Amino acid sequence: MTAQLIDGNALSARLRADVASRAAALKARGVVPGLAVVLVGENPASQVYVRNKVKACNDNGLHSVLEKHPAELSEAALLARVEALNADPAIHGILVQLPLPAHIDAQKVIEAIAPAKDVDGFHVASAGALMTGSSGFWPCTPYGCMKMLESIGYDLRGKHAVVIGRSNIVGKPMALMLLAKNATVTICHSATPDLGAFTRQADVVVAAVGKRNVLTADMVKPGAVVIDVGMNRNDEGKLCGDVDFAGVREVAGWITPVPGGVGPMTITMLLVNTLEAAERAAAASAT
Ligand code: GUN
């Protein structure tokens, strides 16, 4: 059996069209959804990411501001910029691109962002909201993975989901989102012995490690759904995920490709969160 592909580009296009129409509706009420993207230093990968985020905003009717600061910017100066953006009514979402230079405490900066504008979902208040099932912003990458499962009509109730990776940005929030949909969830990580013993029991596997070939065909239950969050380069320099795609697609029921899978969903969910932040702000100011 060859797995069906979950096409992140096609799903992103549908979700972005919905964002654009909701942005137009807000604009008609005099509110232009706005995202501030803050970049400190010249990390080449970060420069590409922030350019893509700003372009995605502009393409879908959102206003965006890109603030570029030199790598020498002090922590105090960055905190002051975040405070100014918190107070700016034209800005509904704030994203401080990570990693930050070593002299800046990234967590301190994230905690300075107003939770109502935390469209990355990295603030402890956002993490707490996800954990307790209350209203907040979900981190974009795992949120995008949930949308991919939803797009194939997959019912997680009673299913066993195995998440490989335990980062604050993907693994941990992913596990909580799957749990909220009534899956039985196992989190595996670098200290897990015999990873395959867990993944072979899984109806859904999410691989979020950042290492090639973490999941191979012999580790997958026939028909399982495989979501690949990895972004790696193979020996030829080609983009590849954490999953041995060629092997696993012959066993799985559904699989996300790399590129064209989870990647485009991350920016799409950033747009969704920013739009949601603007809609909440508009609703709050109308009352
Ligand atoms: N660096 C890599 N991915 C991300 C992301 O999703 N958000 C932020 N703020 N920084 C990142």
Side-chain angles (χ1 to χ4, degrees):
M1 164 173 152
T2 300
Q4 298 190 63
L5 291 187
I6 310 178
D7 183 340
N9 285 323
L11 178 57
S12 278
R14 291 203 295 278
L15 293 172
R16 289 182 194 205
D18 181 55
V19 164
S21 81
R22 284 164 65 193
L26 265 187
K27 224 176 271 182
R29 294 167 51 199
V31 178
V32 180
L35 174 71
V37 179
V38 181
L39 175 65
V40 183
E42 316 234 311
N43 180 309
S46 291
Q47 286 180 331
V48 174
Y49 290 144
V50 299
R51 207 180 313 133
N52 290 342
K53 288 169 185 177
V54 167
K55 180 175 186 310
C57 283
N58 298 342
D59 289 349
N60 293 282
L62 278 68
H63 164 66
S64 66
V65 178
L66 174 57
E67 280 198 21
K68 286 188 180 181
H69 298 284
E72 300 75 35
L73 185 76
S74 71
E75 183 181 281
L78 180 56
L79 290 169
R81 281 311 306 145
V82 169
E83 283 306 328
L85 293 167
N86 283 341
D88 185 343
I91 295 299
H92 304 99
I94 302 170
L95 182 150
V96 178
Q97 186 67 25
L98 304 177
L100 287 169
H103 67 277
I104 296 177
D105 179 345
Q107 200 55 40
K108 195 168 166 187
V109 174
I110 289 166
E111 302 314 337
I113 297 171
K117 299 189 177 187
D118 176 37
V119 289
D120 252 337
F122 294 169
H123 195 288
V124 285
S126 302
L130 171 58
M131 173 159 263
T132 55
S134 46
S135 163
F137 291 108
W138 285 5
C140 300
T141 300
Y143 190 10
C145 295
M146 293 304 287
K147 285 286 173 193
M148 296 182 103
L149 289 168
E150 194 184 303
S151 76
I152 60 167
Y154 195 81
D155 183 5
L156 283 157
R157 172 175 285 275
K159 298 295 200 311
H160 185 193
V162 170
V163 179
I164 316 172
R166 55 174 156 176
S167 71
N168 289 337
I169 293 178
V170 185
K172 281 190 243 175
M174 184 81 249
L176 290 168
M177 290 175 201
L178 294 162
L179 184 63
K181 291 288 182 190
N182 300 305
T184 300
V185 182
T186 302
I187 305 176
C188 297
H189 47 78
S190 51
T192 302
D194 196 4
L195 178 63
F198 293 94
T199 57
R200 272 189 288 277
Q201 294 176 29
D203 302 299
V204 176
V205 182
V206 181
V209 177
K211 214 169 99 187
R212 283 163 56 196
N213 298 332
V214 159
L215 192 75
T216 49
D218 58 302
M219 298 166 73
V220 175
K221 178 160 95 173
V225 181
V226 175
I227 311 267
D228 190 350
V229 180
M231 283 270 219
N232 311 298
R233 298 266 166 198
N234 68 13
D235 294 335
E236 290 87 53
K238 262 181 61 185
L239 203 60
C240 66
D242 291 350
V243 174
D244 170 26
F245 182 81
V248 170
R249 77 177 303 186
E250 299 305 326
V251 181
W254 293 90
I255 189 167
T256 66
V258 178
V262 174
M265 294 299 295
T266 297
I267 293 186
T268 298
M269 301 323 293
L270 174 67
L271 301 180
V272 169
N273 278 349
T274 303
L275 209 279
E276 179 72 34
E279 286 177 345
R280 288 180 197 172
S285 67
T287 55

